[in-house]
Amino acid sequence: MPKRAQPDSEPVLDRSSAAGVAPPSPKRTKVADPDTPTDQELTNAESSNDAAASTSTAPAGKKQKKKKSVAKTTDTNTIPIHRGKFKLRYLQKHAFLIRRADPAVGLLVSCSPATETRAIGQLRSFADAWLPKLFPGAHAVYPDLAPANDIDLQYVADADDDDDKKTKKPRPVPVDKGDKTALFQMADTGSAGLLFLRFRNSVAPSDFVLRLFDYLAASPDKKQVQESDLSFCHRFLPMSHVASAATQTDIVDTFGPLLSKVDTVGLDANDAPATNGRKRSVAIYVEARNAPAINRQSLTIALGEHLPNTMCGNLKTPDVVILVSVFKSVAGMSIVLGHDYRRLHKFNIQKL
């Protein structure tokens, strides 16, 4: 039989609606608001703002100048020299401080890091000007060192031919190294923020520091010295004995015998080591810079074993203070009275 055609007007039933299931809603597309900026537009706006801020401070067509350092723009009365130049021309080698034939004594001066060149200029100018004021009879002292090798001139070849072939530029003669009339010399400490003013005169470093601080404490020139003449310098530690600091044993072997008579420091010959029925107190202060092989606590204990039995330890108000400072491969020591150490603010010239 032929199939019967359905009429066009017959409605088509939706089975999902007949079964009680809602038909799927048509997918809606999100329409962007023209007033809301996109993420890309926000990124572009931030970059343009940063560029405008950087160019707004500098005038158009000109590069922005860098700010000069305070040390270069202010009048600090110092020598404007660089590290490489003054290390070769104005500083003695670090190893010269531990020569046995020429023992070094002087002042260990601390300063802020990166200001060593300025502090050296201030320190040398100040020391050369004030030593004759405080000690009018001071004069230069240099040991008579024998030559290391005796050379027979008959075995030395004539160098005239070599001089004709090559003409060398004459090097500038350094004043500090060759002048035997200089009262002071600067030595390389090998540590940042630390200077060593070597004494080449007849004055002891501890006497110079005590007289200088006492004079400045009662002088109207104290503010001028602190703010201008020595504005980059801080502590002035006298170093009366110097030894090699390769190992702790080297330091103890050199400084240990010097501590056997520390109980008589500051006393007259007729005074007894124990005054008023009590033992004198002592304190050992050890500082180490650029010396990783030295343990401060261990060195303090080792030096304390060489103290006389007539003394006792006191770190707050000692009668005698032993200052030990280790910098790179050199160790310096000084023995001062505790009263002077406290009233002079640990020899800090900026705190007078």
Side-chain angles (χ1 to χ4, degrees):
M1 288 179 67
K3 292 183 179 181
R4 185 179 178 181
Q6 294 181 358
D8 298 335
S9 62
E10 185 177 359
V12 180
L13 298 177
D14 190 357
R15 296 181 180 180
S16 61
S17 60
V21 180
S25 60
K27 189 175 182 181
R28 297 181 181 179
T29 59
K30 186 177 180 181
V31 180
D33 191 358
D35 298 334
T36 304
T38 61
D39 296 341
Q40 184 65 26
E41 292 176 352
L42 290 175
T43 306
N44 296 337
E46 290 176 359
S47 60
S48 62
N49 291 338
D50 296 339
S54 61
T55 57
S56 61
T57 55
K62 292 184 179 180
K63 294 183 180 180
Q64 189 175 4
K65 295 182 179 179
K66 294 182 180 180
K67 293 183 179 180
K68 295 183 179 180
S69 62
V70 179
K72 293 182 179 180
T73 56
T74 55
D75 184 13
T76 55
N77 192 22
T78 58
I79 304 173
I81 50 182
H82 299 284
R83 178 73 183 177
K85 291 183 179 179
F86 81 77
K87 186 173 183 180
L88 296 175
R89 294 186 57 187
Y90 297 95
L91 292 183
Q92 277 194 334
K93 291 184 179 180
H94 183 74
F96 285 4
L97 295 176
I98 52 177
R99 296 175 64 183
R100 294 183 179 179
D102 188 14
V105 296
L107 296 179
L108 198 63
V109 182
S110 62
C111 63
S112 301
T115 61
E116 292 88 353
T117 56
R118 301 285 171 175
I120 283 178
Q122 289 184 346
L123 187 59
R124 280 303 307 269
S125 301
F126 183 84
D128 290 336
W130 280 78
L131 182 66
K133 294 180 182 179
L134 300 176
F135 299 90
H139 58 276
V141 175
Y142 285 83
D144 296 331
L145 298 178
N149 297 318
D150 295 331
I151 301 174
D152 194 352
L153 296 179
Q154 65 177 347
Y155 296 104
V156 178
D158 191 6
D160 292 340
D161 299 336
D162 298 337
D163 294 341
D164 294 338
K165 295 177 182 178
K166 296 180 181 179
T167 56
K168 297 183 179 180
K169 255 187 181 179
R171 294 184 179 180
V173 180
V175 177
D176 290 354
K177 295 181 181 179
D179 189 7
K180 296 296 184 180
T181 61
L183 300 175
F184 301 97
Q185 286 180 337
M186 299 302 303
D188 185 17
T189 60
S191 304
L194 205 61
L195 310 174
F196 190 87
L197 180 66
R198 186 171 184 176
F199 274 46
R200 289 295 193 177
N201 51 70
S202 56
V203 180
S206 56
D207 296 339
F208 178 79
V209 171
L210 292 176
R211 187 171 298 186
L212 174 64
F213 276 59
D214 290 338
Y215 180 84
L216 291 178
S219 174
D221 299 334
K222 180 181 68 173
K223 189 174 182 181
Q224 169 72 17
V225 171
Q226 292 175 339
E227 297 181 357
S228 178
D229 296 342
L230 294 175
S231 58
F232 290 101
C233 302
H234 301 288
R235 295 185 69 191
F236 286 69
L237 297 181
M239 294 288 112
S240 302
H241 308 280
V242 174
S244 173
T247 60
Q248 178 176 313
T249 306
D250 297 338
I251 303 175
V252 176
D253 291 345
T254 305
F255 293 160
L258 302 176
L259 302 179
S260 59
K261 297 182 179 180
V262 72
D263 54 349
T264 60
V265 173
L267 298 178
D268 296 334
N270 298 328
D271 295 337
T275 57
N276 298 328
R278 68 174 183 85
K279 292 184 178 181
R280 300 188 73 193
S281 58
V282 63
I284 302 176
Y285 300 134
V286 178
E287 299 177 355
R289 296 191 183 186
N290 196 14
I294 302 301
N295 187 352
R296 294 188 302 171
Q297 185 176 2
S298 176
L299 180 59
T300 304
I301 296 174
L303 291 175
E305 295 177 354
H306 290 78
L307 294 174
N309 298 328
T310 57
M311 304 193 73
C312 61
N314 186 359
L315 297 178
K316 292 185 177 180
T317 57
D319 296 327
V320 180
V321 174
I322 302 173
L323 303 174
V324 179
S325 183
V326 183
F327 49 98
K328 201 175 179 180
S329 60
V330 178
M333 186 187 72
S334 182
I335 303 173
V336 297
L337 293 177
H339 172 68
D340 296 333
Y341 186 73
R342 290 187 296 271
R343 71 181 179 87
L344 297 179
H345 304 278
K346 300 179 181 180
F347 301 119
N348 193 332
I349 200 168
Q350 301 297 333
K351 294 184 178 180
L352 276 180

